Amino acid sequence: MKRLSIIIVTYNSEKDIYDCINSIRQWTDIPTEALELIVVDNNSRDTDAMFAQLRELYGNDVVLIKNTRNGGYGQGNNMGIRQATAPVILIMNPDVRLMEPVFQTALNAFDQWKDLSIYGMKQRIIHTK
C-alpha cells in the first residue's frame, strides 16, 4: 500500500527532474513500495524524450502524466493529485534536492494528528562560495 504520493510538475525542466528523483530515491526513509512518484509534464517542448529517459531509468516506479496543455502549476498538480493513490500527498518542485530523510517525519505527523490537513517542511539552504 502506498503511504506517500509525491507530485512533481515539470515544464521544460528536463535538466532538473533526474537529480530531483535521484535525491528522493537516495534519501527516502520509507520503503520504496510505500512511495509513489508522479511526474506531470505541463506540455514541455520535448516531453517524449524526457519520458522515454525516465521510463528507461526508473521503469514503472514513476507514474508519468503528459498534460496536453500548460494549464499552470496548480492545474498540473491537480492532475497528479487525481492520479495519486496514497493518503498523504507531497507537492515538490523539480529543482528540489533532498539532503536528508524527511518522509517518515511527515507521515508520523499525519499519524499522530488525525485532523492534520497540511504539513510544511523547511529546506536547508547551503551557500557555496
Side-chain angles (χ1 to χ4, degrees):
M1 177 177 112
K2 302 296 182 191
R3 295 191 63 214
L4 176 68
S5 294
I6 300 175
I7 314 296
I8 307 168
V9 174
T10 65
Y11 177 72
N12 296 325
S13 305
E14 185 172 7
K15 64 179 177 53
D16 289 320
I17 192 64
Y18 308 110
D19 288 339
C20 179
I21 293 173
N22 286 336
S23 78
I24 292 167
R25 293 167 61 95
Q26 176 184 353
W27 290 104
T28 188
D29 55 352
I30 63 173
T32 54
E33 57 272 1
L35 180 64
E36 179 177 51
L37 290 173
I38 301 172
V39 174
V40 179
D41 185 80
N42 257 352
N43 203 24
S44 295
R45 288 184 299 269
D46 198 5
T47 305
D48 292 336
M50 181 179 70
F51 276 13
Q53 181 70 22
L54 289 170
R55 185 65 62 221
E56 183 178 320
L57 290 169
Y58 307 111
N60 292 326
D61 289 342
V62 178
V63 176
L64 303 173
I65 301 172
K66 185 177 182 178
N67 199 347
T68 57
R69 66 182 181 92
N70 187 339
Y73 186 68
Q75 187 264 349
N77 278 310
N78 286 333
M79 287 184 76
I81 290 167
R82 282 192 290 277
Q83 289 290 145
T85 62
V88 177
I89 296 172
L90 184 145
I91 304 294
M92 184 180 287
N93 288 338
D95 60 350
V96 168
R97 305 294 178 269
L98 295 182
M99 303 183 73
E100 60 189 25
V102 295
F103 302 140
Q104 191 60 59
T105 299
L107 291 174
N108 289 346
F110 282 97
D111 288 343
Q112 183 176 356
W113 297 293
K114 299 300 181 192
D115 58 346
L116 183 65
S117 59
I118 190 168
Y119 183 86
M121 293 184 236
K122 182 176 181 180
Q123 180 178 352
R124 292 184 307 164
I125 299 174
I126 296 177
H127 297 282
T128 59
K129 294 182 182 193

